[in-house]
Amino acid sequence: MKAMILAAGLGTRLRPLTNDRPKALVEVGGRTLLQITLLRLQTFGVDGVIVNVHHFADMVIDYLKSNHDFGMRIEISREEELLDTGGGLKKASWFFLESASGRDEPFILHNVDVLSTIDLHRMVQCHRDHKALATLAVQKRKTSRYLLFDDQLQLCGRRSGPDGAPELVRECEQMQAVAFSGVHVISPRIFERMTDAGAFSIIPTYLRLSAQGETIAGFPADEYDWMDLGRPENIVKAENELAGKNLS
């Protein structure tokens, strides 16, 4: 199985930790976020990974080389200008389309600054069972931006904050508002439907494709531990968590 790690961001929320390094190389308990994510993916059978880079890109490349790519096949997608999640994924599409046999094989898209115990085997199986174009790990927690799913856990819209007006893209009588957790399972056929160019977010693409009848499914991840390491204070919290459980 293949995966992509989103690691190109400037890591502005993590300053001053990212003043002299990319967020992928910020350490938690003596290990970098990139190492934690790579080894976790490896545990679930991922043997090929593409990592997008921009901020201190050469540091990431040198780090991977010095660690012999952690025994995996690792490719680099260098972004001279930040392309956001959708544009970054589209630029890396060649990695998932390079062999005819792999074009039907779903892959994982994972934020480098997310730590979780989400069972990726179960998530991939959920994706297959729903014959989904994309499957998103979601949780019932507070967030500034909610995704809206119907009672069959099909994406039907989004909403800003707890009181914002829902933006619906398909009929949704009984909707539930959930938070996206930065982990996706995606079928490579999505690349045929990605009409945007340059820098763009993947979420509007998901909403557009859902409106067109594609299955964008939700994977309930409330039973799993999850942390967003976007702020320095969360790094300290994560170190304490990692000391007591396998949150990696």
Side-chain angles (χ1 to χ4, degrees):
M1 178 177 283
K2 291 182 175 181
M4 179 173 184
I5 297 176
L6 295 171
L10 299 177
T12 53
R13 293 185 303 156
L14 272 172
R15 288 174 181 165
L17 297 178
T18 50
N19 285 343
D20 60 355
R21 73 192 68 187
K23 65 180 177 180
L25 299 188
V26 170
E27 293 189 358
V28 177
R31 295 190 297 168
T32 66
L33 296 179
L34 183 56
Q35 178 185 4
I36 291 170
T37 306
L38 283 169
L39 296 184
R40 173 166 168 75
L41 290 170
Q42 193 175 54
T43 298
F44 286 95
V46 172
D47 55 9
V49 178
I50 188 164
V51 182
N52 69 338
V53 296
H54 172 78
H55 184 56
F56 291 112
D58 290 335
M59 289 183 67
V60 176
I61 294 169
D62 292 343
Y63 172 78
L64 290 169
K65 185 181 298 184
S66 67
N67 285 280
H68 308 288
D69 290 343
F70 295 95
M72 307 170 75
R73 176 196 172 189
I74 299 181
E75 300 287 348
I76 295 294
S77 181
R78 186 188 286 266
E79 298 179 10
E80 299 304 327
E81 296 182 358
L82 284 172
L83 297 175
D84 209 336
T85 50
L89 175 60
K90 187 173 183 178
K91 186 178 190 295
S93 62
W94 66 268
F95 182 67
F96 304 103
L97 301 175
E98 62 183 352
S99 67
S101 60
R103 295 191 177 195
D104 294 325
E105 182 70 21
F107 62 89
I108 296 166
L109 182 63
H110 201 296
N111 289 3
V112 76
D113 53 2
V114 162
L115 298 187
S116 81
T117 60
I118 293 173
D119 187 331
L120 298 178
H121 284 316
R122 284 185 60 194
M123 190 171 170
V124 171
Q125 189 57 53
C126 173
H127 178 83
R128 294 184 190 277
D129 291 345
H130 286 90
K131 297 180 173 58
L133 184 66
T135 301
L136 315 181
V138 295
Q139 295 176 315
K140 295 176 181 176
R141 55 179 169 79
K142 291 182 179 180
T143 183
S144 60
R145 293 172 293 180
Y146 290 92
L147 293 180
L148 306 176
F149 288 81
D150 63 20
D151 55 2
Q152 299 299 312
L153 274 180
Q154 305 296 310
L155 182 66
C156 60
R158 63 180 170 181
R159 186 181 76 201
S160 295
D163 302 316
E167 176 190 338
L168 298 178
V169 297
R170 61 194 297 178
E171 289 188 16
C172 189
E173 293 183 2
Q174 295 184 350
M175 60 185 173
Q176 51 184 308
V178 291
F180 177 46
S181 298
V183 182
H184 330 223
V185 176
I186 305 173
S187 293
R189 59 188 178 88
I190 196 173
F191 296 118
E192 304 168 3
R193 310 293 303 278
M194 295 179 81
T195 55
D196 298 278
F200 63 95
S201 169
I202 193 68
I203 297 298
T205 299
Y206 288 152
L207 291 166
R208 173 176 60 80
L209 294 176
S210 179
Q212 294 172 359
E214 291 284 359
T215 298
I216 310 297
F219 176 76
D222 295 292
E223 65 186 276
Y224 304 106
D225 293 311
W226 179 89
M227 294 189 72
D228 170 16
L229 300 184
R231 293 183 172 84
E233 60 267 26
N234 291 351
I235 299 293
V236 176
K237 182 179 179 182
E239 289 180 335
N240 294 332
E241 292 281 351
L242 285 169
K245 61 181 70 172
N246 186 28
L247 188 64
S248 61

